[in-house]
Amino acid sequence: MPDHGAPPRTPQTEAAAAGLGARLMRRKPVERLVDEGGQGEGGSLRRSLGLWQLTMISIGATLGTGIFVVLGEAVPKAGPAVTLSFVIAGLTALFSALSYAELAGTIPVAGSSYSYAYATMGELIAWICGWCLVLEYGVSVAAVAVGWGEYLNELLDGTIGVTIPDVLSAPPGDGGVFNLPALIVVLLAMVFLLGGARESARANTIMVAVKIVSLLLFCAVGLKGFQSGNYEHFMPLGMAGVSAAGATLFFSYIGFDAASTAGEEAKNPQRDLPRAIMLSLVIVTALYVLVAAVAVGARPWQQFSDSEAALAGIMKDVTGQSFWATLLAAGAVIAIASVVLTVLYGQTRVLFAMSRDGLVPKVFSKVHAKSGTPRVNTLLVSLFCGVLAAAVPLGQLADATSIGTLFAFALVNIAVIVLRRTRPDMPRTFRVPLSPVLPVIGFGLCLWMMGSLSEITWIVFGVWMAVGLVFYFSYGMRRSRLAAPADAAEAQK
């Protein structure tokens, strides 16, 4: 019999009775995600980017990282088979890119895979994905900035005959105390971003053109020193070495993810985002494999020795002159700066989306009325990434970025399958072929490459996840905009 003495059930009491599991699994409707697109605290982002600019953002964030910076780290792991490592990493990225393309056209918002997970798998998974993106973008900005200093020294040496001393151009553990060039390039990227998305995109387009010309120039010169004997022992460290190098090089394929973060500033995101993602990945992979093949052919793989400015050294060895190496170093300085610019852009937009949902402080979603950009967000992220770049060695940064990227990509492949089942009739401007087979393969490849990373990388990742979960349960879960009225009232206390 009913208990007439019991207090009436209200939305507040029902929400309280729902339990922790329901709160962790609450999903944000796709329609609400799209309707809130561009809206921030005190203003809105401006839609000013077309297909060309979006493609250049993808290429800008991707092209340069693996070739100009990480090649010297990857070749000692795989030998001449590093070209195969690039192909494997590219194929892994391709499967995930197909999933990104479908979701970017369906849910064109700034949060990228974080928002996709929020709409399909619930708030806790979305938080974990967003926390991985913070690791992916923030740490990769720092990692690329470290390599920028190496090429800056090459350029200074070839032009004015001086270099920045190691104590000020390398992080602790690599012979230095503070990497000043790494901090400088992050701050320069910050200045461009504060000017607005359109202005940043224009600067990035120019820098992308310079980097493509620089890499093609390297290939033309490097072919003169090509020796087929360098490929006689193609896989000296076995498939394990190829896999390990591929996992490190996957760090180089996060550019198309950066394009998906521009969903709220694109003029026609449903049409242009999928195209930009796929087009940029094809262009970048082709250039990566071509340049890696020429580089190994021009220098025995044993002589790469973890050099972060390997291409400039090869140019000098082949020609016997410093001019070509200096010219390439100038191109690399510009090229790597564009990676810093576009990846830093992606980081700020992910935090913008998370802040709008209440999971991180509101300061990250405040929009400056005049520039239409999240200025405070940009300042805070830039300072954090700049200090990180100045204080942590490159190798540790690259592997930490890879594991965060792979985990986020794995979740995107699952999100495609879930959204196909829960919202099969939703309009899609791009569809992953052979779904769910290809997303499942993409998911498996991500897990396989994660397994190839070192134990210390997994430890760092575990600590990062633990810190993120503490922050979510102590802050984000209570302040989420999807929280029930009772939760929201408690959060305001």
Side-chain angles (χ1 to χ4, degrees), residues 109-112 137 256-265 345-346 349-350:
V109 293
S112 185
Y137 284 112
F256 62 85
D257 188 20
S260 69
T261 66
E264 296 177 21
E265 290 161 285
Y345 167 86
R349 270 44 179 187
V350 169

Side-chain angles (χ1 to χ4, degrees), residues 239-325:
M239 195 62 198
V242 174
S243 175
T248 296
L249 290 171
F250 194 81
F251 160 80
S252 310
Y253 284 93
I254 67 171
F256 62 85
D257 188 20
S260 69
T261 66
E264 296 177 21
E265 290 161 285
K267 295 177 181 177
N268 190 343
Q270 287 88 350
R271 182 196 67 186
D272 292 340
L273 283 177
R275 295 179 181 181
I277 288 169
M278 300 309 300
L279 181 60
S280 63
L281 186 63
V282 170
I283 293 172
V284 166
T285 302
L287 280 169
Y288 275 168
V289 173
L290 175 63
V291 173
V294 172
V296 175
R299 171 185 283 185
W301 70 272
Q302 299 92 335
Q303 297 179 17
F304 276 77
S305 65
D306 294 345
S307 171
E308 279 123 14
L311 298 190
I314 291 172
M315 293 276 273
K316 187 180 297 184
D317 293 343
V318 170
T319 63
Q321 301 176 1
S322 61
F323 170 78
W324 295 105

Side-chain angles (χ1 to χ4, degrees), residues 8 24 57 69 82 85 103 174 209 240 250 252 262 266 317 324 351 357 381 406 408 412 414 419 435 449 454 466:
L24 299 181
I57 287 174
V69 179
V82 70
S85 299
L103 292 174
D174 280 2
F250 194 81
S252 310
D317 293 343
W324 295 105
L351 285 171
D357 292 333
V381 171
L406 287 163
V412 168
I414 297 299
L419 196 61
S435 181
M449 296 194 76
S454 65

Side-chain angles (χ1 to χ4, degrees), residues 28-215:
K28 189 171 184 179
V30 173
E31 292 78 10
R32 181 171 171 180
L33 279 166
V34 175
D35 288 343
E36 291 180 355
Q39 300 177 20
E41 292 285 330
S44 299
L45 302 178
R46 297 174 182 172
R47 293 193 178 276
S48 58
L49 306 177
L51 175 61
W52 176 251
Q53 289 93 341
L54 292 170
T55 304
M56 291 299 103
I57 287 174
S58 287
I59 297 177
T62 312
L63 184 59
T65 312
I67 287 297
F68 285 112
V69 179
V70 188
L71 184 64
E73 297 250 346
V75 172
K77 296 180 180 179
V82 70
T83 53
L84 183 57
S85 299
F86 269 114
V87 172
I88 292 173
L91 286 174
T92 304
L94 175 62
F95 284 108
S96 296
L98 292 170
S99 295
Y100 263 101
E102 177 169 326
L103 292 174
T106 308
I107 313 174
V109 293
S112 185
S113 53
Y114 154 77
S115 296
Y116 310 152
Y118 213 165
T120 56
M121 291 177 280
E123 187 171 280
L124 178 61
I125 301 300
W127 168 264
I128 291 173
C129 188
W131 196 243
C132 284
L133 291 178
V134 172
L135 177 68
E136 170 190 339
Y137 284 112
V139 177
S140 65
V141 167
V144 178
V146 171
W148 187 80
E150 295 285 332
Y151 278 99
L152 179 63
N153 264 339
E154 289 281 340
L155 178 61
L156 293 174
D157 185 39
T159 52
I160 60 177
V162 300
T163 59
I164 302 173
D166 286 346
V167 68
L168 291 177
S169 62
D174 280 2
V177 174
F178 192 81
N179 193 330
L180 183 60
L183 176 61
I184 290 173
V185 72
V186 174
L187 296 180
L188 287 173
M190 178 190 73
V191 172
F192 279 109
L193 291 176
L194 291 175
R198 181 189 298 177
E199 292 73 13
S200 301
R202 288 173 179 169
N204 175 64
T205 299
I206 295 172
M207 290 189 282
V208 167
V210 171
K211 77 168 74 177
I212 291 176
V213 170
S214 299
L215 290 174

